[in-house]
Amino acid sequence: MRFTVSSLVANGPDPVTGVRRTPNEKLHNVIDQAVTAEELGYDGYGVGERHGEPFLSPAPPVLLSAIAARTSTIRLFTTVTVLSILDPVRVAEDYALLDQLSGGRLELIIGKGNDPRHFDLFGLPEERQWDALAENYALLRRLWREEKVTWEGGTRPPLKDATISPRPFQDPIPVWHGSATSTQSTDLAARYGDPLFSANSFHPLAKYKALVDHYRECWEHYGRDPKDVRVGTSFGGLFIARRSQDAVEGFRPYWDALFNSAAGKHNNSPFESLEDALERGSALVGSPQQVIEKIHRYHEAFGNEVVGIGVDSLTEDVQHEQLELFASEVAPVIRRELP
């Protein structure tokens, strides 16, 4: 099993202290968090793309470049790149440059995004989001694999003999597909033989398992070997304590803030309370053994090879504490039991 940490760079008031960092402070907190993740032995660090408050992550390649300069081994993820609204030529150039700067440590996770505000901002009708994602990805793949690309479609002006520079360091840059709501994302991943990353944040396991199962069905439909399927699984929160009661109460203010936020309401989560979310959802909250057991439960359902966690909503000193506890108490056990 591999472990990644990610951030959407949300910069609201701290649910415990009430303090809101300046944008400069928050951005440097994320960079420091990635450095800590590398020092603690995590395999990857991801930055999501969001446009509008309270998020400070409209340009993941810029922030990931700063992280690349402070790290040397950790893989760099986008969680996710909202490819439906972006020019694939610009994406191909930006991320090829980042891949060169990082020495080939980049992995993209693409998707249509989880914030409807970006459709009006970038002039994309929401009903075209999936068609735009599929078309843009087809072009992005060609730009990274071919030179002198000639192309015509509906999302940008035509291309004639276009070659991006620099070329990616990797040949090609690995691409995952983020999945949270639709079988269109799982079908697209299977069609190209790409890995899938399941979001799992706001709903019970069964909803996301249905999407992963659909991905596996499509994978075989397209004539691929089931043994080659690759799945990553994110978890909606982390808070570990020696006593489970302390973990629950420690996490409660952060959970309340998240589920009362615009993002929480937009996702129409069915959870009625924190206790309900912990019982039916993915949040890794409890004793180390309880967290280990939940990771096993999701692995049994999804067959994932990557576990993604996030501590971005936590108070800064708690972030470091939780990353360290997970790295020392949970990760070694999971790596041994699920190699």
Side-chain angles (χ1 to χ4, degrees), residues 36 40 42 319-329:
T36 297
L40 292 173
Y42 288 88
Q319 291 178 12
H320 190 283
E321 172 191 84
Q322 290 301 315
L323 288 176
E324 194 167 24
L325 274 170
F326 188 93
S328 61
E329 302 288 335

Side-chain angles (χ1 to χ4, degrees), residues 89 92 96 137-151 159-168 170-173 192:
V89 175
Y137 182 49
L139 176 55
L140 177 64
R141 285 177 61 88
R142 290 190 62 194
L143 290 167
W144 276 345
R145 288 167 168 80
E146 304 173 28
E147 298 184 1
K148 296 184 177 181
V149 173
T150 297
W151 174 92
L159 298 173
K160 182 174 176 59
D161 294 335
T163 300
I164 67 152
S165 180
R167 309 300 296 169
Q170 300 173 93
D171 184 21
I173 295 169
Y192 284 105

Side-chain angles (χ1 to χ4, degrees), residues 174-194:
V175 176
W176 301 66
H177 295 247
S179 169
T181 59
S182 173
T183 54
Q184 288 173 277
S185 59
T186 51
D187 180 88
L188 188 65
R191 191 187 321 164
Y192 284 105
D194 294 331

Side-chain angles (χ1 to χ4, degrees), residues 98-117:
L98 172 56
D99 197 44
Q100 288 288 347
L101 287 170
S102 67
R105 289 189 280 142
L106 178 64
E107 301 196 26
L108 249 64
I109 303 179
I110 64 167
K112 57 89 180 171
N114 194 32
D115 188 335
R117 294 178 296 176

Side-chain angles (χ1 to χ4, degrees), residues 15 239 247-258 273-275 285:
F239 207 102
V248 172
E249 292 312 309
F251 188 64
R252 191 176 300 279
Y254 303 109
W255 185 87
D256 288 342
L258 175 61
S273 65
L274 172 57
E275 286 73 15
V285 177

Side-chain angles (χ1 to χ4, degrees), residues 83-93 122-124 128 131-133 135-140 142-143 149-164:
L83 190 56
S84 55
I85 60 171
L86 303 176
D87 181 348
V89 175
R90 183 83 243 193
V91 171
E93 291 177 334
F122 288 90
L124 175 69
R128 288 200 60 239
D131 290 340
L133 177 64
E135 183 175 298
N136 286 348
Y137 182 49
L139 176 55
L140 177 64
R142 290 190 62 194
L143 290 167
V149 173
T150 297
W151 174 92
E152 186 169 345
T155 59
R156 57 150 293 125
L159 298 173
K160 182 174 176 59
D161 294 335
T163 300
I164 67 152

